[in-house]
Amino acid sequence: MSRKVPKRVFLTEDQMPTKWYNVRADMKEQHDPYINPGTMKPIELEDLLPVFCTELAKQEGDCQTRYFDIPEEILDFYKIYRPSPIVRAYELEKALDTPAKIYYKFEGNNTSGSHKLNTAAAQTYYAKKQNLKGLTTETGAGQWGTAMAMATAYFGLDLIVYMVKCSSEQKPYRKAVIETFGAQLIPSPSETTNVGREILKNHPNTGGSLGCAISEAVEKAVTTEGYRYVLGSVLNQVLLHQSIIGEECKMQMEMIDEYPDIVIGCAGGGSNMGGVMASFMQDKLLGKTNPYFIAVEPASCPTMTRGKYAYDFCDTGHITPLAKMYTLGADFIPSPDHAGGLRYHGMSPVLSKLYHDGFLDEARAVVQTEVFDAAVQFAKYETILPAPESAHAILAAIQEANKCKESGEAKTILFNLSGTGNFDMGAYTAYREGKMKNYVPSDEDLAQGFASLPKIPGIQE
Amino acid sequence: MSRKVPKRVFLTEDQMPTKWYNVRADMKEQHDPYINPGTMKPIELEDLLPVFCTELAKQEGDCQTRYFDIPEEILDFYKIYRPSPIVRAYELEKALDTPAKIYYKFEGNNTSGSHKLNTAAAQTYYAKKQNLKGLTTETGAGQWGTAMAMATAYFGLDLIVYMVKCSSEQKPYRKAVIETFGAQLIPSPSETTNVGREILKNHPNTGGSLGCAISEAVEKAVTTEGYRYVLGSVLNQVLLHQSIIGEECKMQMEMIDEYPDIVIGCAGGGSNMGGVMASFMQDKLLGKTNPYFIAVEPASCPTMTRGKYAYDFCDTGHITPLAKMYTLGADFIPSPDHAGGLRYHGMSPVLSKLYHDGFLDEARAVVQTEVFDAAVQFAKYETILPAPESAHAILAAIQEANKCKESGEAKTILFNLSGTGNFDMGAYTAYREGKMKNYVPSDEDLAQGFASLPKIPGIQE
């Protein structure tokens, strides 16, 4: 069979984008400023410097620079695993018998197994450039911790990873990979921080939480000479670095004379959706095209579909700045769900603003058994075993392709296959054995989370 | 920094080889014929048909057809994950401070995590074409079982995998992947075959062995209507399918105006080395060039470095044909070693013949702690976590690069990075915790294995 479009579209190294795109430069309205919870005033650059590398703190606040040159050293790192292919899902299309054309950007071809490496490399490089000694971070599902372990091994920095205790026990292999790359892994809560000791005193048997691990990692960074803290999602700087996904996508689709009608990403903290949509969102913001954007989240943690657009802490320890975003409340405890990377109470302020203003068209909540139905169907035909997080986007893509089958429309669908599921076999086994449950929080559960939203005099009462 | 050669060299889909290369067509002398252990006569095509698909049995015996067209359906499957990149190990070279140029062919970018998919797709396709209902096979480390599960899911055939019992317990995630793709996994020895029941009667607590799993899989295939057996290494047909690795390598190196002085692969049954060397061995056989070939094996299972060139069974159950090859004896029991894929008593008859005749220049035995030293060093600089098997080739490449540092020669080294180590974290953990031992069989251990070599009247007394 002769196909007009190849199965996989690559870019050469020379064609790889050399700039990150900052979507905020094209937004007519910016998200409300971060607020310092100590002063209840908008945050200043200086407030961020004890926590973040200087260059990254600057990127965090920059809503004017449209393109940032990617430093040569980061480009060299990217070249080890980028450009990543766009793949035409011929086999899946055939199985679905749909007139739709389905494309996926595959970001899983690296040892971390996900797109997280794009920002891990950038954040580590800037830390190295600042002559820092080391970095701290947290990890839940483990993809971010792995990406950071790889980047710090490469650039020669120390790394301390606070891994949610129950995850470090459930995912011993993730822990092993992180340690193989030379990082120090500490199950959280731990005795190494005040916040950790406090939690252990009150809850000696807790399995930990992402919010608690964030609090520990931040405390460790600000109290250790030559250390800073890094975060793998939510932040503006992360969206900036992940824009390389969208920039590549747009070039690759142009090469095959395509443009997406629908762009789909999963949404936990926003780095996945923010990455794949970047360059197409620019077109929409500039009024050039009008693609339909869908952010897919787990029904167990329905930040955009059932959350509030409000100021909130980014961590359960209440030590980070306040961000205006869609949130379920920093104290909301998501039910167990196998897409650990999407189990976060908040959402990127940029994505939240774009959703609130109608540029990000739709948020869709889905239950995990249906997500795994889609994952297994996809694996069978496309041979890639997806991460549970990425499988949220697969499910929505299949839903859209099925709509095309009904309507007869040959829409072009693009989704971000952000990672592989090689370290998620516990989840796949639970699914296969029929032991997977669909958790959906009740209105009362949500009310409890909302009750923890902070009061800000004159802004949020 | 501007580099003449990019980090990764890809081929486009249009450039992908459309033929497999059969190295036997250029060998002046063929390996001695397989012998039927029932009749002690050279095997006929008909002898193989109850075990293998007809087309594959024909390929097994064909030493004349130089190139086989790859069927369209297999090419479509290959296009999902091929062509695979050749990567210049710039970062490793820098760390080693060597004038050598190190290239690796990376075959791990697929869910099975290894090159095994190249022949799994081919063998499954021919089974489908023959209207078979299903296939049986065995797996030890699990890469082959995963590859077969993926291929049979895609082509729509049933698959029964006999997995060495201790492996299925040590590697529950490998088991889970295989089952996720819909295959039936049976820990071996099992109650489902005569040979399994016999072994269980005598050794109720055995953890099983690859030889035993092969015997069970073959018995199951020949006693089940519409089933045949498939094997992932050793066979001529496997080397034929794996030649796509070497064919791509040669094209990619030509694109960047390079040619290897040294070609390195790990060697268990031979599919890895056989694949990467194929097209360069052709040049050598035809007298065009003279690359130096190194096959690297574990010191714990030193088939080529300390084995005998003799007729032997391919399985411990003594039900397969006899092959003339380097062997430690079918009854040799390799000590525990984390490179499960290299723990095989024999060696591809083609590779054995080429080694015996001096075309394959060197076999090198290495101990596993040094293999893991190399693996972790490679991971740090090149960011890919290698399979323990592939890390044997990495170690030899580093050894050769270090020689270049001493001599000042800028040799071009190519090795096959045949797979990733994502499912081998138990091994990496043992290494990191200092619990890994280097097993080297004594001469007495070897003598025991050699004692099991069969007697063949007039040929091997």
Side-chain angles (χ1 to χ4, degrees), chain A residues 408-430:
Chain A
E409 287 174 289
K411 288 188 179 169
T412 299
I413 300 168
L414 168 66
F415 72 88
N416 195 11
L417 185 65
S418 54
T420 56
N422 295 346
F423 290 97
D424 300 284
M425 294 320 300
Y428 276 96
T429 300

PDB file of all heavy atoms in Angstrom, chain A residues 408-430:
ATOM      1  N   GLY A 408     -19.242  11.454   9.401  1.00  0.00           N
ATOM      2  CA  GLY A 408     -18.604  11.339   8.094  1.00  0.00           C
ATOM      3  C   GLY A 408     -17.532  12.377   7.832  1.00  0.00           C
ATOM      4  O   GLY A 408     -16.950  12.428   6.755  1.00  0.00           O
ATOM      5  N   GLU A 409     -17.247  13.200   8.842  1.00  0.00           N
ATOM      6  CA  GLU A 409     -16.223  14.237   8.660  1.00  0.00           C
ATOM      7  C   GLU A 409     -14.817  13.653   8.792  1.00  0.00           C
ATOM      8  O   GLU A 409     -14.558  12.859   9.685  1.00  0.00           O
ATOM      9  CB  GLU A 409     -16.382  15.328   9.724  1.00  0.00           C
ATOM     10  CG  GLU A 409     -17.575  16.228   9.509  1.00  0.00           C
ATOM     11  CD  GLU A 409     -17.747  17.182  10.693  1.00  0.00           C
ATOM     12  OE1 GLU A 409     -18.134  16.692  11.779  1.00  0.00           O
ATOM     13  OE2 GLU A 409     -17.477  18.375  10.529  1.00  0.00           O
ATOM     14  N   ALA A 410     -13.909  14.094   7.919  1.00  0.00           N
ATOM     15  CA  ALA A 410     -12.523  13.607   7.977  1.00  0.00           C
ATOM     16  C   ALA A 410     -11.653  14.618   8.709  1.00  0.00           C
ATOM     17  O   ALA A 410     -10.760  15.234   8.126  1.00  0.00           O
ATOM     18  CB  ALA A 410     -12.002  13.347   6.570  1.00  0.00           C
ATOM     19  N   LYS A 411     -11.928  14.802   9.999  1.00  0.00           N
ATOM     20  CA  LYS A 411     -11.156  15.789  10.751  1.00  0.00           C
ATOM     21  C   LYS A 411      -9.731  15.308  10.999  1.00  0.00           C
ATOM     22  O   LYS A 411      -9.462  14.108  11.041  1.00  0.00           O
ATOM     23  CB  LYS A 411     -11.833  16.071  12.086  1.00  0.00           C
ATOM     24  CG  LYS A 411     -13.107  16.886  11.946  1.00  0.00           C
ATOM     25  CD  LYS A 411     -13.637  17.321  13.301  1.00  0.00           C
ATOM     26  CE  LYS A 411     -14.897  18.162  13.106  1.00  0.00           C
ATOM     27  NZ  LYS A 411     -15.597  18.402  14.366  1.00  0.00           N
ATOM     28  N   THR A 412      -8.831  16.269  11.195  1.00  0.00           N
ATOM     29  CA  THR A 412      -7.446  15.958  11.548  1.00  0.00           C
ATOM     30  C   THR A 412      -7.273  16.157  13.047  1.00  0.00           C
ATOM     31  O   THR A 412      -7.466  17.263  13.557  1.00  0.00           O
ATOM     32  CB  THR A 412      -6.476  16.867  10.767  1.00  0.00           C
ATOM     33  OG1 THR A 412      -6.659  16.631   9.376  1.00  0.00           O
ATOM     34  CG2 THR A 412      -5.040  16.554  11.148  1.00  0.00           C
ATOM     35  N   ILE A 413      -6.953  15.050  13.721  1.00  0.00           N
ATOM     36  CA  ILE A 413      -6.837  15.057  15.181  1.00  0.00           C
ATOM     37  C   ILE A 413      -5.369  14.895  15.559  1.00  0.00           C
ATOM     38  O   ILE A 413      -4.687  14.020  15.041  1.00  0.00           O
ATOM     39  CB  ILE A 413      -7.660  13.900  15.788  1.00  0.00           C
ATOM     40  CG1 ILE A 413      -9.144  14.047  15.414  1.00  0.00           C
ATOM     41  CG2 ILE A 413      -7.476  13.832  17.304  1.00  0.00           C
ATOM     42  CD1 ILE A 413      -9.984  12.809  15.715  1.00  0.00           C
ATOM     43  N   LEU A 414      -4.898  15.730  16.449  1.00  0.00           N
ATOM     44  CA  LEU A 414      -3.519  15.613  16.957  1.00  0.00           C
ATOM     45  C   LEU A 414      -3.576  15.468  18.466  1.00  0.00           C
ATOM     46  O   LEU A 414      -4.247  16.247  19.140  1.00  0.00           O
ATOM     47  CB  LEU A 414      -2.719  16.871  16.603  1.00  0.00           C
ATOM     48  CG  LEU A 414      -1.351  17.014  17.303  1.00  0.00           C
ATOM     49  CD1 LEU A 414      -0.369  15.938  16.857  1.00  0.00           C
ATOM     50  CD2 LEU A 414      -0.759  18.414  17.038  1.00  0.00           C
ATOM     51  N   PHE A 415      -2.897  14.425  18.988  1.00  0.00           N
ATOM     52  CA  PHE A 415      -2.792  14.363  20.444  1.00  0.00           C
ATOM     53  C   PHE A 415      -1.355  14.103  20.872  1.00  0.00           C
ATOM     54  O   PHE A 415      -0.523  13.653  20.076  1.00  0.00           O
ATOM     55  CB  PHE A 415      -3.763  13.335  21.038  1.00  0.00           C
ATOM     56  CG  PHE A 415      -3.410  11.891  20.813  1.00  0.00           C
ATOM     57  CD1 PHE A 415      -2.584  11.203  21.693  1.00  0.00           C
ATOM     58  CD2 PHE A 415      -3.930  11.200  19.720  1.00  0.00           C
ATOM     59  CE1 PHE A 415      -2.276   9.862  21.491  1.00  0.00           C
ATOM     60  CE2 PHE A 415      -3.626   9.853  19.504  1.00  0.00           C
ATOM     61  CZ  PHE A 415      -2.794   9.182  20.398  1.00  0.00           C
ATOM     62  N   ASN A 416      -1.095  14.423  22.133  1.00  0.00           N
ATOM     63  CA  ASN A 416       0.246  14.279  22.677  1.00  0.00           C
ATOM     64  C   ASN A 416       0.375  12.933  23.394  1.00  0.00           C
ATOM     65  O   ASN A 416      -0.242  12.720  24.430  1.00  0.00           O
ATOM     66  CB  ASN A 416       0.523  15.427  23.659  1.00  0.00           C
ATOM     67  CG  ASN A 416       2.001  15.569  23.991  1.00  0.00           C
ATOM     68  OD1 ASN A 416       2.853  14.951  23.356  1.00  0.00           O
ATOM     69  ND2 ASN A 416       2.306  16.393  24.974  1.00  0.00           N
ATOM     70  N   LEU A 417       1.159  12.043  22.793  1.00  0.00           N
ATOM     71  CA  LEU A 417       1.466  10.780  23.479  1.00  0.00           C
ATOM     72  C   LEU A 417       2.725  11.051  24.296  1.00  0.00           C
ATOM     73  O   LEU A 417       3.843  10.775  23.878  1.00  0.00           O
ATOM     74  CB  LEU A 417       1.691   9.657  22.468  1.00  0.00           C
ATOM     75  CG  LEU A 417       1.908   8.276  23.114  1.00  0.00           C
ATOM     76  CD1 LEU A 417       0.662   7.818  23.838  1.00  0.00           C
ATOM     77  CD2 LEU A 417       2.326   7.253  22.078  1.00  0.00           C
ATOM     78  N   SER A 418       2.478  11.592  25.475  1.00  0.00           N
ATOM     79  CA  SER A 418       3.581  12.199  26.227  1.00  0.00           C
ATOM     80  C   SER A 418       4.498  11.188  26.887  1.00  0.00           C
ATOM     81  O   SER A 418       5.614  11.532  27.268  1.00  0.00           O
ATOM     82  CB  SER A 418       3.026  13.138  27.283  1.00  0.00           C
ATOM     83  OG  SER A 418       2.086  12.446  28.091  1.00  0.00           O
ATOM     84  N   GLY A 419       4.044   9.953  27.034  1.00  0.00           N
ATOM     85  CA  GLY A 419       4.930   9.024  27.714  1.00  0.00           C
ATOM     86  C   GLY A 419       4.514   7.572  27.570  1.00  0.00           C
ATOM     87  O   GLY A 419       3.417   7.241  27.106  1.00  0.00           O
ATOM     88  N   THR A 420       5.425   6.686  28.005  1.00  0.00           N
ATOM     89  CA  THR A 420       5.190   5.245  27.935  1.00  0.00           C
ATOM     90  C   THR A 420       4.838   4.686  29.319  1.00  0.00           C
ATOM     91  O   THR A 420       5.148   5.291  30.340  1.00  0.00           O
ATOM     92  CB  THR A 420       6.442   4.525  27.419  1.00  0.00           C
ATOM     93  OG1 THR A 420       7.539   4.851  28.264  1.00  0.00           O
ATOM     94  CG2 THR A 420       6.748   4.941  25.996  1.00  0.00           C
ATOM     95  N   GLY A 421       4.219   3.521  29.301  1.00  0.00           N
ATOM     96  CA  GLY A 421       3.718   2.935  30.539  1.00  0.00           C
ATOM     97  C   GLY A 421       4.567   1.803  31.097  1.00  0.00           C
ATOM     98  O   GLY A 421       4.075   1.013  31.903  1.00  0.00           O
ATOM     99  N   ASN A 422       5.839   1.748  30.693  1.00  0.00           N
ATOM    100  CA  ASN A 422       6.670   0.616  31.106  1.00  0.00           C
ATOM    101  C   ASN A 422       6.783   0.460  32.614  1.00  0.00           C
ATOM    102  O   ASN A 422       7.013  -0.635  33.105  1.00  0.00           O
ATOM    103  CB  ASN A 422       8.081   0.750  30.518  1.00  0.00           C
ATOM    104  CG  ASN A 422       8.083   0.662  29.006  1.00  0.00           C
ATOM    105  OD1 ASN A 422       7.088   0.249  28.414  1.00  0.00           O
ATOM    106  ND2 ASN A 422       9.159   1.062  28.376  1.00  0.00           N
ATOM    107  N   PHE A 423       6.662   1.563  33.340  1.00  0.00           N
ATOM    108  CA  PHE A 423       6.781   1.483  34.797  1.00  0.00           C
ATOM    109  C   PHE A 423       5.410   1.497  35.472  1.00  0.00           C
ATOM    110  O   PHE A 423       5.313   1.722  36.665  1.00  0.00           O
ATOM    111  CB  PHE A 423       7.663   2.624  35.305  1.00  0.00           C
ATOM    112  CG  PHE A 423       9.103   2.472  34.926  1.00  0.00           C
ATOM    113  CD1 PHE A 423       9.624   3.125  33.823  1.00  0.00           C
ATOM    114  CD2 PHE A 423       9.937   1.639  35.659  1.00  0.00           C
ATOM    115  CE1 PHE A 423      10.952   2.967  33.459  1.00  0.00           C
ATOM    116  CE2 PHE A 423      11.271   1.472  35.306  1.00  0.00           C
ATOM    117  CZ  PHE A 423      11.781   2.139  34.199  1.00  0.00           C
ATOM    118  N   ASP A 424       4.365   1.299  34.692  1.00  0.00           N
ATOM    119  CA  ASP A 424       3.002   1.348  35.222  1.00  0.00           C
ATOM    120  C   ASP A 424       2.302   0.005  35.112  1.00  0.00           C
ATOM    121  O   ASP A 424       1.075  -0.057  34.999  1.00  0.00           O
ATOM    122  CB  ASP A 424       2.197   2.425  34.467  1.00  0.00           C
ATOM    123  CG  ASP A 424       2.817   3.801  34.631  1.00  0.00           C
ATOM    124  OD1 ASP A 424       2.657   4.383  35.720  1.00  0.00           O
ATOM    125  OD2 ASP A 424       3.474   4.272  33.699  1.00  0.00           O
ATOM    126  N   MET A 425       3.088  -1.083  35.146  1.00  0.00           N
ATOM    127  CA  MET A 425       2.480  -2.381  34.909  1.00  0.00           C
ATOM    128  C   MET A 425       1.563  -2.810  36.057  1.00  0.00           C
ATOM    129  O   MET A 425       0.651  -3.604  35.854  1.00  0.00           O
ATOM    130  CB  MET A 425       3.550  -3.433  34.621  1.00  0.00           C
ATOM    131  CG  MET A 425       4.302  -3.203  33.319  1.00  0.00           C
ATOM    132  SD  MET A 425       3.290  -2.638  31.929  1.00  0.00           S
ATOM    133  CE  MET A 425       2.121  -3.982  31.779  1.00  0.00           C
ATOM    134  N   GLY A 426       1.779  -2.252  37.242  1.00  0.00           N
ATOM    135  CA  GLY A 426       0.851  -2.531  38.336  1.00  0.00           C
ATOM    136  C   GLY A 426      -0.549  -2.070  37.966  1.00  0.00           C
ATOM    137  O   GLY A 426      -1.542  -2.774  38.207  1.00  0.00           O
ATOM    138  N   ALA A 427      -0.628  -0.919  37.329  1.00  0.00           N
ATOM    139  CA  ALA A 427      -1.921  -0.382  36.905  1.00  0.00           C
ATOM    140  C   ALA A 427      -2.546  -1.251  35.818  1.00  0.00           C
ATOM    141  O   ALA A 427      -3.738  -1.576  35.862  1.00  0.00           O
ATOM    142  CB  ALA A 427      -1.742   1.049  36.402  1.00  0.00           C
ATOM    143  N   TYR A 428      -1.722  -1.634  34.850  1.00  0.00           N
ATOM    144  CA  TYR A 428      -2.254  -2.471  33.766  1.00  0.00           C
ATOM    145  C   TYR A 428      -2.740  -3.822  34.304  1.00  0.00           C
ATOM    146  O   TYR A 428      -3.718  -4.386  33.827  1.00  0.00           O
ATOM    147  CB  TYR A 428      -1.196  -2.676  32.666  1.00  0.00           C
ATOM    148  CG  TYR A 428      -1.161  -1.540  31.672  1.00  0.00           C
ATOM    149  CD1 TYR A 428      -0.256  -0.500  31.795  1.00  0.00           C
ATOM    150  CD2 TYR A 428      -2.061  -1.500  30.618  1.00  0.00           C
ATOM    151  CE1 TYR A 428      -0.228   0.555  30.887  1.00  0.00           C
ATOM    152  CE2 TYR A 428      -2.050  -0.455  29.699  1.00  0.00           C
ATOM    153  CZ  TYR A 428      -1.127   0.568  29.841  1.00  0.00           C
ATOM    154  OH  TYR A 428      -1.124   1.593  28.943  1.00  0.00           O
ATOM    155  N   THR A 429      -2.019  -4.343  35.295  1.00  0.00           N
ATOM    156  CA  THR A 429      -2.426  -5.623  35.881  1.00  0.00           C
ATOM    157  C   THR A 429      -3.754  -5.468  36.621  1.00  0.00           C
ATOM    158  O   THR A 429      -4.652  -6.307  36.483  1.00  0.00           O
ATOM    159  CB  THR A 429      -1.323  -6.138  36.832  1.00  0.00           C
ATOM    160  OG1 THR A 429      -0.126  -6.303  36.072  1.00  0.00           O
ATOM    161  CG2 THR A 429      -1.712  -7.465  37.464  1.00  0.00           C
ATOM    162  N   ALA A 430      -3.894  -4.401  37.388  1.00  0.00           N
ATOM    163  CA  ALA A 430      -5.154  -4.150  38.096  1.00  0.00           C
ATOM    164  C   ALA A 430      -6.310  -4.054  37.095  1.00  0.00           C
ATOM    165  O   ALA A 430      -7.390  -4.600  37.308  1.00  0.00           O
ATOM    166  CB  ALA A 430      -5.059  -2.867  38.915  1.00  0.00           C
TER     167      ALA A 430
END
